[in-house]
């Protein structure tokens, strides 16, 4: 899909859950030769970002690029504990991170209108951008197992400790939202500063979310709220 751009057709905000300000812990980038961040994941050590013609692995402590794989990606990125998954146009590639070799390709559910991807419980969870949906997908066949509706564009997806979060970006507004994984009801909202979009989302399985910054070329670490 093309670089995410703000849209002006946002539906009225009728949610009963009040948004709280997102706490940005750190900003990274923009990175040399990278004009946009399209997808984000975390392998336990590094934050991987799809930046167009390549995937880069960023050391979250130093902010430096530790590795680069020559693989194009224009939307979500995920990690299953062993392999990377990358959306490239209308397909999802399963990639060996050791050498960048593509092991399998399956169709993306949005057929090119996808954005955001995560791995959890043996499934891929793929956002379908303007359709405001999140699909649970079989990683071997690409078959859609079920679909969750949102009322905002989906621009990133992640699971952490049994919680499903997704990023939104419409107009000048962008949020991280925790939703009920069955009904899609919004349970929690973290509002990003105006003009700070989210294109790709992943947790570090601890206290941070990593958010792609779209055409800014930046990556942002956001504090995950604790109950």
């Amino acid at each position: 899909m093309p670089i995410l751009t703000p849209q002006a057709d946002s539906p009225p905000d009728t949610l009963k859950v009040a948004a709280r300000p997102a706490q940005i812990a750190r900003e990274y980038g923009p990175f040399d030769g990278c004009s946009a961040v399209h997808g984000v994941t975390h392998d336990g050590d590094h934050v991987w970002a799809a930046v167009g013609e390549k995937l880069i692995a960023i050391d979250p402590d130093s902010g430096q690029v530790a590795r680069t794989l020559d693989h194009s990606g224009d939307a979500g990125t995920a990690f299953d504990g062993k392999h990377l998954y990358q959306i490239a146009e209308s397909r999802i590639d399963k990639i060996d991170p050791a050498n960048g070799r593509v092991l399998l390709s399956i169709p993306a559910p949005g057929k090119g209108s996808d954005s955001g991807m995560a791995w959890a419980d043996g499934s891929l969870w793929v956002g379908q951008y303007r359709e405001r949906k999140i699909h649970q997908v079989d990683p071997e066949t690409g078959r859609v197992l079920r679909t969750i509706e949102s009322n905002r564009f989906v621009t990133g997806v992640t699971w952490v400790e049994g919680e499903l979060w997704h990023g939104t970006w419409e107009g000048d507004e962008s949020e991280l939202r925790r939703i009920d994984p069955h009904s899609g009801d919004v349970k929690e909202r973290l509002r990003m500063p105006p003009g700070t979009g989210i294109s790709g989302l992943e947790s570090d399985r601890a206290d941070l979310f990593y958010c792609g910054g779209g055409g800014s070329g930046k990556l942002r670490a956001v504090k995950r709220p604790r109950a």
Side-chain angles (χ1 to χ4, degrees):
M1 65 177 294
I3 294 173
L4 295 176
T5 54
Q7 305 291 327
D9 57 348
S10 303
D13 187 351
T14 57
L15 293 175
K16 297 179 180 178
V17 179
R20 293 179 291 158
Q23 297 184 49
I24 297 176
R26 185 172 178 183
E27 284 192 347
Y28 304 87
F31 305 95
D32 290 345
C34 308
S35 59
V37 176
H38 303 286
V40 178
T41 194
H42 191 279
D43 69 2
D45 295 314
H46 297 103
V47 184
W48 287 86
V51 293
E53 297 303 316
K54 55 189 176 181
L55 283 162
I56 59 174
I58 302 155
D59 182 332
D61 293 326
S62 68
Q64 299 300 307
V65 175
R67 288 191 58 205
T68 298
L69 292 179
D70 291 326
H71 190 284
S72 62
D74 59 357
T77 312
F79 183 70
D80 69 358
K82 185 176 181 180
H83 306 102
L84 292 167
Y85 292 81
Q86 179 58 53
I87 296 174
E89 298 180 345
S90 60
R91 70 180 193 278
I92 300 171
D93 293 331
K94 180 179 181 180
I95 302 165
D96 184 341
N99 53 29
R101 189 163 63 95
V102 175
L103 305 174
L104 176 72
S105 293
I106 59 175
K111 299 179 176 58
S113 64
D114 313 88
S115 69
M117 184 165 60
W119 174 273
D121 298 330
S123 294
L124 290 169
W125 298 77
V126 183
Q128 194 173 355
Y129 176 44
R130 293 183 67 86
E131 287 71 17
R132 302 182 171 100
K133 295 178 180 178
I134 299 170
H135 303 288
Q136 181 182 4
V137 173
D138 184 320
E140 295 299 319
T141 66
R143 183 168 69 92
V144 174
L145 303 175
R146 69 184 177 103
T147 298
I148 302 168
E149 304 278 348
S150 176
N151 73 340
R152 279 291 189 276
F153 292 159
V154 177
T155 60
V157 182
T158 191
W159 282 88
V160 55
E161 296 183 343
E163 296 179 347
L164 176 58
W165 290 77
H166 77 83
T168 75
W169 187 4
E170 294 192 33
D172 195 38
E173 298 179 353
S174 193
E175 295 183 356
L176 295 103
R177 291 185 168 188
R178 179 170 65 85
I179 64 172
D180 185 307
H182 302 286
S183 66
D185 291 346
V186 177
K187 300 296 185 182
E188 193 168 3
R189 302 166 62 193
L190 303 178
R191 178 168 291 160
M192 297 291 278
T196 306
I198 296 175
S199 62
L201 173 66
E202 184 64 290
S203 77
D204 67 349
R205 306 294 182 261
D207 299 323
L208 294 174
F209 293 114
Y210 288 100
C211 305
S216 72
K218 293 186 177 181
L219 175 74
R220 297 181 176 92
V222 175
K223 293 183 179 179
R224 182 164 75 93
R226 297 288 194 170

